[in-house]
Structures are given as C-alpha cells and as structure tokens.
Amino acid sequence: VVRLVESGGGSVQAGGSLTLSCAASGFTFRAQCLGWFRQAPGKEREGVADIDADGSTTYADSVKGRFTISKDGAKNELYLQMNSLKPEDTAKYYCVAYELDCQGDLGAWGQGTLVTVSS
C-alpha cells in the first residue's frame, strides 16, 4: 500500500523558514516523480515543485528562488525547504507521488501539513 506522511508544518513569521518532510512507503521511491502541492483556503490546489527520478526539478514561478525540493532515496523521504516565506504561502501542503514521470498522472497523496505565515 502506497503511503505518504507529511510533517514539518507550523506557524512562522514572514521572512522565516520551514522544512517539510514526507515519509514514503509502498512503492519504488527512486523510480517515480515526487512533488509538493498546496491549497490555500478558498483557492484551487496548485503545484509547488516536483523532482523526477533523475533528480531534475521544476518549481512554480511563485516559489522559484525561495523553495528547494530534494529527496533521500536511502530514507525514502521527500523534502521541501521553504525560505523567505510570505503570507501568501499560507496553505496546506501535500506530498504527491506521480504514477511515473512528472508529465504523467498523479498517484498517491499524503494527508497534508498546514503552513501558516503571518505578516
């Protein structure tokens, strides 16, 4: 059974940093694209960043230069380092495993972790 469990959310002031983690199990971690999505209250879900099996990464324009996605294949963990946080980054963040590559279908989702950035 595919399982994704996020942690690391919390409250922080604008300009601060947080690191989200996602513990993955039940699939071939190294072979699939992994990503982070977020959904703010009253807004649609949006993709934040993803990292393909070969380590290549893509980012939403809104987080480029501030967020870094990475993974540890030995630990089966995915990370999102978030720096220079802004109030508009406030959202519930979800870890996602794609079916295969980053251009393909989304697969499993975690339960999400809440990030709140105050001004």
PDB file of all heavy atoms in Angstrom, residues 12 14 19 25-27 35-36 39-40 48 59-60 65 69 72-74 77 80 82-84 98 103 108 110 118:
ATOM      1  N   VAL A  12       4.884  30.471  11.203  1.00  0.00           N
ATOM      2  CA  VAL A  12       6.143  31.206  11.126  1.00  0.00           C
ATOM      3  C   VAL A  12       5.846  32.624  10.658  1.00  0.00           C
ATOM      4  O   VAL A  12       4.835  32.868   9.994  1.00  0.00           O
ATOM      5  CB  VAL A  12       7.111  30.494  10.149  1.00  0.00           C
ATOM      6  CG1 VAL A  12       6.576  30.506   8.728  1.00  0.00           C
ATOM      7  CG2 VAL A  12       8.502  31.068  10.220  1.00  0.00           C
ATOM      8  N   ALA A  14       6.606  36.066   8.472  1.00  0.00           N
ATOM      9  CA  ALA A  14       7.092  36.361   7.131  1.00  0.00           C
ATOM     10  C   ALA A  14       8.607  36.540   7.150  1.00  0.00           C
ATOM     11  O   ALA A  14       9.152  37.167   8.071  1.00  0.00           O
ATOM     12  CB  ALA A  14       6.418  37.612   6.592  1.00  0.00           C
ATOM     13  N   THR A  19      11.003  23.569   6.912  1.00  0.00           N
ATOM     14  CA  THR A  19      11.314  22.424   6.059  1.00  0.00           C
ATOM     15  C   THR A  19      10.238  21.370   6.250  1.00  0.00           C
ATOM     16  O   THR A  19      10.009  20.911   7.365  1.00  0.00           O
ATOM     17  CB  THR A  19      12.682  21.830   6.383  1.00  0.00           C
ATOM     18  OG1 THR A  19      13.691  22.818   6.191  1.00  0.00           O
ATOM     19  CG2 THR A  19      12.969  20.641   5.479  1.00  0.00           C
ATOM     20  N   SER A  25       6.339   5.147   1.532  1.00  0.00           N
ATOM     21  CA  SER A  25       6.485   3.698   1.582  1.00  0.00           C
ATOM     22  C   SER A  25       5.489   3.059   0.629  1.00  0.00           C
ATOM     23  O   SER A  25       4.518   3.689   0.209  1.00  0.00           O
ATOM     24  CB  SER A  25       6.247   3.187   3.010  1.00  0.00           C
ATOM     25  OG  SER A  25       4.946   3.508   3.449  1.00  0.00           O
ATOM     26  N   GLY A  26       5.772   1.804   0.271  1.00  0.00           N
ATOM     27  CA  GLY A  26       4.836   1.043  -0.551  1.00  0.00           C
ATOM     28  C   GLY A  26       5.017   1.180  -2.044  1.00  0.00           C
ATOM     29  O   GLY A  26       4.170   0.680  -2.812  1.00  0.00           O
ATOM     30  N   PHE A  27       6.080   1.844  -2.492  1.00  0.00           N
ATOM     31  CA  PHE A  27       6.327   1.939  -3.933  1.00  0.00           C
ATOM     32  C   PHE A  27       7.819   2.146  -4.151  1.00  0.00           C
ATOM     33  O   PHE A  27       8.575   2.376  -3.217  1.00  0.00           O
ATOM     34  CB  PHE A  27       5.521   3.068  -4.576  1.00  0.00           C
ATOM     35  CG  PHE A  27       5.884   4.452  -4.094  1.00  0.00           C
ATOM     36  CD1 PHE A  27       6.708   5.272  -4.835  1.00  0.00           C
ATOM     37  CD2 PHE A  27       5.379   4.936  -2.887  1.00  0.00           C
ATOM     38  CE1 PHE A  27       7.031   6.547  -4.398  1.00  0.00           C
ATOM     39  CE2 PHE A  27       5.695   6.207  -2.432  1.00  0.00           C
ATOM     40  CZ  PHE A  27       6.521   7.018  -3.186  1.00  0.00           C
ATOM     41  N   GLY A  35       6.312  15.098  -5.797  1.00  0.00           N
ATOM     42  CA  GLY A  35       6.079  16.535  -5.812  1.00  0.00           C
ATOM     43  C   GLY A  35       5.381  17.044  -4.571  1.00  0.00           C
ATOM     44  O   GLY A  35       4.942  16.271  -3.707  1.00  0.00           O
ATOM     45  N   TRP A  36       5.307  18.363  -4.496  1.00  0.00           N
ATOM     46  CA  TRP A  36       4.565  19.055  -3.447  1.00  0.00           C
ATOM     47  C   TRP A  36       3.494  19.920  -4.099  1.00  0.00           C
ATOM     48  O   TRP A  36       3.773  20.649  -5.063  1.00  0.00           O
ATOM     49  CB  TRP A  36       5.492  19.941  -2.606  1.00  0.00           C
ATOM     50  CG  TRP A  36       6.443  19.198  -1.739  1.00  0.00           C
ATOM     51  CD1 TRP A  36       7.738  18.870  -2.015  1.00  0.00           C
ATOM     52  CD2 TRP A  36       6.169  18.680  -0.434  1.00  0.00           C
ATOM     53  NE1 TRP A  36       8.292  18.183  -0.966  1.00  0.00           N
ATOM     54  CE2 TRP A  36       7.353  18.054   0.023  1.00  0.00           C
ATOM     55  CE3 TRP A  36       5.056  18.696   0.405  1.00  0.00           C
ATOM     56  CZ2 TRP A  36       7.440  17.439   1.276  1.00  0.00           C
ATOM     57  CZ3 TRP A  36       5.148  18.083   1.649  1.00  0.00           C
ATOM     58  CH2 TRP A  36       6.333  17.471   2.070  1.00  0.00           C
ATOM     59  N   GLN A  39      -2.755  23.942  -1.122  1.00  0.00           N
ATOM     60  CA  GLN A  39      -4.083  24.510  -1.306  1.00  0.00           C
ATOM     61  C   GLN A  39      -4.353  25.491  -0.180  1.00  0.00           C
ATOM     62  O   GLN A  39      -4.365  25.105   0.999  1.00  0.00           O
ATOM     63  CB  GLN A  39      -5.159  23.430  -1.336  1.00  0.00           C
ATOM     64  CG  GLN A  39      -6.527  23.980  -1.703  1.00  0.00           C
ATOM     65  CD  GLN A  39      -7.503  22.891  -2.095  1.00  0.00           C
ATOM     66  OE1 GLN A  39      -7.352  21.728  -1.727  1.00  0.00           O
ATOM     67  NE2 GLN A  39      -8.529  23.273  -2.853  1.00  0.00           N
ATOM     68  N   ALA A  40      -4.549  26.736  -0.563  1.00  0.00           N
ATOM     69  CA  ALA A  40      -4.881  27.784   0.394  1.00  0.00           C
ATOM     70  C   ALA A  40      -6.395  27.846   0.557  1.00  0.00           C
ATOM     71  O   ALA A  40      -7.136  27.441  -0.339  1.00  0.00           O
ATOM     72  CB  ALA A  40      -4.346  29.124  -0.091  1.00  0.00           C
ATOM     73  N   VAL A  48       3.562  23.041  -6.508  1.00  0.00           N
ATOM     74  CA  VAL A  48       4.623  23.885  -5.948  1.00  0.00           C
ATOM     75  C   VAL A  48       5.975  23.505  -6.555  1.00  0.00           C
ATOM     76  O   VAL A  48       6.718  24.355  -7.042  1.00  0.00           O
ATOM     77  CB  VAL A  48       4.670  23.746  -4.421  1.00  0.00           C
ATOM     78  CG1 VAL A  48       5.850  24.515  -3.845  1.00  0.00           C
ATOM     79  CG2 VAL A  48       3.362  24.214  -3.793  1.00  0.00           C
ATOM     80  N   TYR A  59       9.759  24.144 -10.533  1.00  0.00           N
ATOM     81  CA  TYR A  59       9.138  24.941  -9.484  1.00  0.00           C
ATOM     82  C   TYR A  59       8.072  25.860 -10.067  1.00  0.00           C
ATOM     83  O   TYR A  59       8.195  26.343 -11.189  1.00  0.00           O
ATOM     84  CB  TYR A  59      10.179  25.812  -8.769  1.00  0.00           C
ATOM     85  CG  TYR A  59      11.235  25.029  -8.028  1.00  0.00           C
ATOM     86  CD1 TYR A  59      12.424  24.673  -8.641  1.00  0.00           C
ATOM     87  CD2 TYR A  59      11.027  24.646  -6.704  1.00  0.00           C
ATOM     88  CE1 TYR A  59      13.392  23.949  -7.969  1.00  0.00           C
ATOM     89  CE2 TYR A  59      11.989  23.921  -6.009  1.00  0.00           C
ATOM     90  CZ  TYR A  59      13.172  23.577  -6.655  1.00  0.00           C
ATOM     91  OH  TYR A  59      14.125  22.864  -5.975  1.00  0.00           O
ATOM     92  N   ALA A  60       7.066  26.125  -9.281  1.00  0.00           N
ATOM     93  CA  ALA A  60       6.113  27.160  -9.640  1.00  0.00           C
ATOM     94  C   ALA A  60       6.832  28.503  -9.605  1.00  0.00           C
ATOM     95  O   ALA A  60       7.730  28.712  -8.777  1.00  0.00           O
ATOM     96  CB  ALA A  60       4.947  27.157  -8.656  1.00  0.00           C
ATOM     97  N   GLY A  65      13.458  30.263  -6.411  1.00  0.00           N
ATOM     98  CA  GLY A  65      14.462  31.021  -5.683  1.00  0.00           C
ATOM     99  C   GLY A  65      14.261  31.032  -4.188  1.00  0.00           C
ATOM    100  O   GLY A  65      15.145  31.469  -3.443  1.00  0.00           O
ATOM    101  N   ILE A  69      13.222  21.644  -3.478  1.00  0.00           N
ATOM    102  CA  ILE A  69      12.746  20.282  -3.303  1.00  0.00           C
ATOM    103  C   ILE A  69      13.933  19.339  -3.395  1.00  0.00           C
ATOM    104  O   ILE A  69      14.848  19.545  -4.202  1.00  0.00           O
ATOM    105  CB  ILE A  69      11.665  19.928  -4.349  1.00  0.00           C
ATOM    106  CG1 ILE A  69      11.026  18.580  -4.042  1.00  0.00           C
ATOM    107  CG2 ILE A  69      12.231  19.981  -5.763  1.00  0.00           C
ATOM    108  CD1 ILE A  69       9.810  18.256  -4.918  1.00  0.00           C
ATOM    109  N   ASP A  72      15.769  11.901  -0.431  1.00  0.00           N
ATOM    110  CA  ASP A  72      16.789  10.994   0.070  1.00  0.00           C
ATOM    111  C   ASP A  72      16.304   9.579  -0.226  1.00  0.00           C
ATOM    112  O   ASP A  72      15.406   9.074   0.451  1.00  0.00           O
ATOM    113  CB  ASP A  72      16.988  11.217   1.568  1.00  0.00           C
ATOM    114  CG  ASP A  72      18.131  10.391   2.133  1.00  0.00           C
ATOM    115  OD1 ASP A  72      18.398   9.286   1.606  1.00  0.00           O
ATOM    116  OD2 ASP A  72      18.736  10.838   3.121  1.00  0.00           O
ATOM    117  N   GLY A  73      16.903   8.958  -1.237  1.00  0.00           N
ATOM    118  CA  GLY A  73      16.475   7.630  -1.643  1.00  0.00           C
ATOM    119  C   GLY A  73      16.744   6.565  -0.599  1.00  0.00           C
ATOM    120  O   GLY A  73      16.035   5.570  -0.519  1.00  0.00           O
ATOM    121  N   ALA A  74      17.767   6.767   0.204  1.00  0.00           N
ATOM    122  CA  ALA A  74      18.105   5.782   1.237  1.00  0.00           C
ATOM    123  C   ALA A  74      17.052   5.778   2.348  1.00  0.00           C
ATOM    124  O   ALA A  74      16.770   4.752   2.953  1.00  0.00           O
ATOM    125  CB  ALA A  74      19.477   6.071   1.809  1.00  0.00           C
ATOM    126  N   GLU A  77      12.536   9.550   1.705  1.00  0.00           N
ATOM    127  CA  GLU A  77      11.938  10.784   2.183  1.00  0.00           C
ATOM    128  C   GLU A  77      12.073  11.889   1.146  1.00  0.00           C
ATOM    129  O   GLU A  77      13.071  11.999   0.446  1.00  0.00           O
ATOM    130  CB  GLU A  77      12.574  11.229   3.500  1.00  0.00           C
ATOM    131  CG  GLU A  77      12.194  10.336   4.676  1.00  0.00           C
ATOM    132  CD  GLU A  77      12.603  10.899   6.021  1.00  0.00           C
ATOM    133  OE1 GLU A  77      13.356  11.882   6.040  1.00  0.00           O
ATOM    134  OE2 GLU A  77      12.160  10.360   7.045  1.00  0.00           O
ATOM    135  N   LEU A  80      10.881  19.647   1.375  1.00  0.00           N
ATOM    136  CA  LEU A  80      10.674  20.948   0.755  1.00  0.00           C
ATOM    137  C   LEU A  80      11.222  21.986   1.728  1.00  0.00           C
ATOM    138  O   LEU A  80      10.630  22.235   2.774  1.00  0.00           O
ATOM    139  CB  LEU A  80       9.193  21.205   0.465  1.00  0.00           C
ATOM    140  CG  LEU A  80       8.911  22.500  -0.300  1.00  0.00           C
ATOM    141  CD1 LEU A  80       9.456  22.397  -1.738  1.00  0.00           C
ATOM    142  CD2 LEU A  80       7.402  22.797  -0.342  1.00  0.00           C
ATOM    143  N   MET A  82      11.693  25.653   2.598  1.00  0.00           N
ATOM    144  CA  MET A  82      10.996  26.887   2.256  1.00  0.00           C
ATOM    145  C   MET A  82      11.649  28.049   2.995  1.00  0.00           C
ATOM    146  O   MET A  82      11.640  28.090   4.223  1.00  0.00           O
ATOM    147  CB  MET A  82       9.515  26.779   2.636  1.00  0.00           C
ATOM    148  CG  MET A  82       8.828  25.563   2.032  1.00  0.00           C
ATOM    149  SD  MET A  82       7.058  25.530   2.364  1.00  0.00           S
ATOM    150  CE  MET A  82       7.062  25.303   4.129  1.00  0.00           C
ATOM    151  N   ASN A  83      12.212  28.977   2.239  1.00  0.00           N
ATOM    152  CA  ASN A  83      12.859  30.159   2.806  1.00  0.00           C
ATOM    153  C   ASN A  83      12.105  31.417   2.379  1.00  0.00           C
ATOM    154  O   ASN A  83      11.310  31.391   1.437  1.00  0.00           O
ATOM    155  CB  ASN A  83      14.310  30.245   2.326  1.00  0.00           C
ATOM    156  CG  ASN A  83      15.141  29.071   2.777  1.00  0.00           C
ATOM    157  OD1 ASN A  83      14.940  28.521   3.860  1.00  0.00           O
ATOM    158  ND2 ASN A  83      16.104  28.672   1.954  1.00  0.00           N
ATOM    159  N   SER A  84      12.380  32.500   3.063  1.00  0.00           N
ATOM    160  CA  SER A  84      11.762  33.796   2.738  1.00  0.00           C
ATOM    161  C   SER A  84      10.253  33.651   2.574  1.00  0.00           C
ATOM    162  O   SER A  84       9.661  34.123   1.598  1.00  0.00           O
ATOM    163  CB  SER A  84      12.379  34.366   1.449  1.00  0.00           C
ATOM    164  OG  SER A  84      13.774  34.511   1.584  1.00  0.00           O
ATOM    165  N   TYR A  98       3.730  10.714  -8.268  1.00  0.00           N
ATOM    166  CA  TYR A  98       3.155  10.533  -9.593  1.00  0.00           C
ATOM    167  C   TYR A  98       3.152   9.043  -9.939  1.00  0.00           C
ATOM    168  O   TYR A  98       3.879   8.256  -9.334  1.00  0.00           O
ATOM    169  CB  TYR A  98       3.971  11.287 -10.640  1.00  0.00           C
ATOM    170  CG  TYR A  98       3.787  12.786 -10.601  1.00  0.00           C
ATOM    171  CD1 TYR A  98       4.295  13.555  -9.560  1.00  0.00           C
ATOM    172  CD2 TYR A  98       3.120  13.450 -11.622  1.00  0.00           C
ATOM    173  CE1 TYR A  98       4.138  14.926  -9.529  1.00  0.00           C
ATOM    174  CE2 TYR A  98       2.956  14.825 -11.616  1.00  0.00           C
ATOM    175  CZ  TYR A  98       3.462  15.557 -10.559  1.00  0.00           C
ATOM    176  OH  TYR A  98       3.298  16.922 -10.534  1.00  0.00           O
ATOM    177  N   GLN A 103       5.370  14.300 -16.030  1.00  0.00           N
ATOM    178  CA  GLN A 103       4.382  14.723 -17.019  1.00  0.00           C
ATOM    179  C   GLN A 103       3.165  13.799 -17.019  1.00  0.00           C
ATOM    180  O   GLN A 103       2.210  14.041 -17.758  1.00  0.00           O
ATOM    181  CB  GLN A 103       4.992  14.732 -18.433  1.00  0.00           C
ATOM    182  CG  GLN A 103       6.009  15.850 -18.659  1.00  0.00           C
ATOM    183  CD  GLN A 103       7.297  15.637 -17.908  1.00  0.00           C
ATOM    184  OE1 GLN A 103       7.871  14.558 -17.930  1.00  0.00           O
ATOM    185  NE2 GLN A 103       7.775  16.670 -17.218  1.00  0.00           N
ATOM    186  N   ALA A 108      -0.605   8.778  -5.583  1.00  0.00           N
ATOM    187  CA  ALA A 108      -0.998   8.856  -4.179  1.00  0.00           C
ATOM    188  C   ALA A 108      -0.726  10.230  -3.578  1.00  0.00           C
ATOM    189  O   ALA A 108       0.204  10.923  -3.985  1.00  0.00           O
ATOM    190  CB  ALA A 108      -0.251   7.795  -3.378  1.00  0.00           C
ATOM    191  N   GLY A 110      -0.529  12.463   0.274  1.00  0.00           N
ATOM    192  CA  GLY A 110      -0.470  12.423   1.721  1.00  0.00           C
ATOM    193  C   GLY A 110      -1.668  13.148   2.314  1.00  0.00           C
ATOM    194  O   GLY A 110      -2.511  13.671   1.585  1.00  0.00           O
ATOM    195  N   SER A 118       2.577  34.457   9.001  1.00  0.00           N
ATOM    196  CA  SER A 118       1.970  35.700   9.444  1.00  0.00           C
ATOM    197  C   SER A 118       2.833  36.885   9.047  1.00  0.00           C
ATOM    198  O   SER A 118       4.058  36.781   8.981  1.00  0.00           O
ATOM    199  CB  SER A 118       1.769  35.675  10.961  1.00  0.00           C
ATOM    200  OG  SER A 118       3.004  35.442  11.619  1.00  0.00           O
TER     201      SER A 118
END
